[in-house]
């Protein structure tokens, strides 16, 4: 459809529908980050706390699985934060486009937000990811301290230490990649 066949009101209406849909997705991302973290993180902490009540072979099994699960929690949360950033930037673009089409500043929350572009995924997203990284690294340290008394084999200790260290590097790198993430407009610009 040629852009000229839509009047200004139709174009604004279409943009406002996208705006509403994006805010719905933004709420979903916020809820996923805010609700899942305490629930899953608390479950991991509960597992770590109750580990000593299990037989040694089960303890080893859980201590082998838990670092990978901790990395999964970090990676998926950062994916939500990155998507949240994309939603915020697109909402900003829509506000600017609607304002341009209307010839007045009608929508300004994201496009004139004082924190704009300073914190990837907004203050809450950045804060959540930083808190999660700290919690994940503390849980990895706990895994190491709980694993150490379970074996006297130096090879097992060094191997497990390397495994936990690798997971810690993945967690820190995941946070670093988010800090350097930049939204890229996904839509191809029209060419003549």
């Amino acid at each position: 459809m040629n852009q000229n066949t839509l009047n200004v009101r139709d174009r604004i209406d279409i943009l406002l529908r996208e705006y509403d849909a994006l805010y719905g997705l933004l709420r979903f991302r916020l809820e996923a980050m805010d609700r899942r973290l305490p629930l899953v993180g608390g479950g991991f902490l509960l597992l770590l706390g109750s580990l000593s009540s299990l037989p040694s072979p089960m303890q080893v099994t859980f201590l082998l699985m838990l670092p990978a699960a901790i990395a999964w929690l970090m990676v998926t949360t950062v994916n939500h934060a990155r998507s949240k950033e994309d939603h915020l930037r697109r909402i900003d673009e829509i506000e600017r486009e609607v304002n341009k089409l209307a010839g007045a500043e009608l929508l300004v929350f994201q496009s004139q937000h004082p924190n704009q572009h300073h914190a990837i995924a907004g203050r809450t997203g950045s804060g959540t990811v930083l808190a999660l990284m700290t919690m994940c690294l503390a849980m990895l340290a706990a895994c190491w301290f709980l694993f150490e008394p379970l074996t006297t084999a130096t090879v097992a200790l060094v191997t497990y230490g390397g495994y936990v260290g690798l997971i810690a590097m993945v967690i820190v790198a995941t946070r670093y990649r988010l800090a350097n993430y930049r939204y890229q407009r996904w839509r191809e610009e029209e060419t003549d």
Side-chain angles (χ1 to χ4, degrees), residues 12 55 70 104:
I12 289 174
I70 291 168

Side-chain angles (χ1 to χ4, degrees), residues 41-55:
F44 287 169
L45 289 172
L46 182 65
L47 178 62
L48 277 171
S50 63
L51 205 59
S52 62
S53 65
L54 297 173

Side-chain angles (χ1 to χ4, degrees), residues 141-183:
C143 286
W144 165 252
F145 287 114
L146 290 170
F147 185 83
E148 193 176 14
L150 295 175
T151 185
T152 56
T154 304
V155 172
L157 289 173
V158 169
T159 302
Y160 189 74
Y163 170 56
V164 168
L166 179 65
I167 296 293
M169 288 186 336
V170 166
I171 287 169
V172 171
T174 301
R175 167 63 178 93
Y176 178 77
R177 278 194 316 274
L178 177 67
N180 292 307
Y181 179 74
R182 295 297 171 257
Y183 166 75

Side-chain angles (χ1 to χ4, degrees), residues 64 67 70 82-83 87 97 108 124 133 137 141 144 147 155 174:
L64 288 173
I70 291 168
R82 197 171 25 252
S83 293
H87 298 327
E97 183 66 20
V108 296
T124 56
M133 182 183 75
L137 293 174
W144 165 252
F147 185 83
V155 172
T174 301

Side-chain angles (χ1 to χ4, degrees), residues 24-36:
L25 287 169
L26 188 60
R27 278 192 298 276
F28 167 76
R29 300 286 179 202
L30 283 169
E31 289 173 7
M33 292 172 70
D34 289 346
R35 289 183 182 172
R36 184 173 56 148

Side-chain angles (χ1 to χ4, degrees), residues 84-143:
K84 183 178 179 260
E85 175 67 11
D86 291 343
H87 298 327
L88 290 172
R89 292 312 114 228
R90 180 62 186 142
I91 287 168
D92 176 357
E93 289 175 353
I94 291 171
E95 287 182 359
R96 291 174 192 279
E97 183 66 20
V98 167
N99 292 344
K100 181 178 150 189
L101 289 169
E105 288 189 355
L106 303 174
L107 301 173
V108 296
F109 185 74
Q110 286 303 323
S111 57
Q112 294 184 15
H113 198 279
N115 191 44
Q116 183 182 34
H117 303 292
H118 293 288
I120 302 300
R123 291 182 299 242
T124 56
S126 291
T128 299
V129 169
L130 184 59
L132 177 64
M133 182 183 75
T134 304
M135 183 179 76
C136 288
L137 293 174
M139 285 192 293
L140 288 174
C143 286

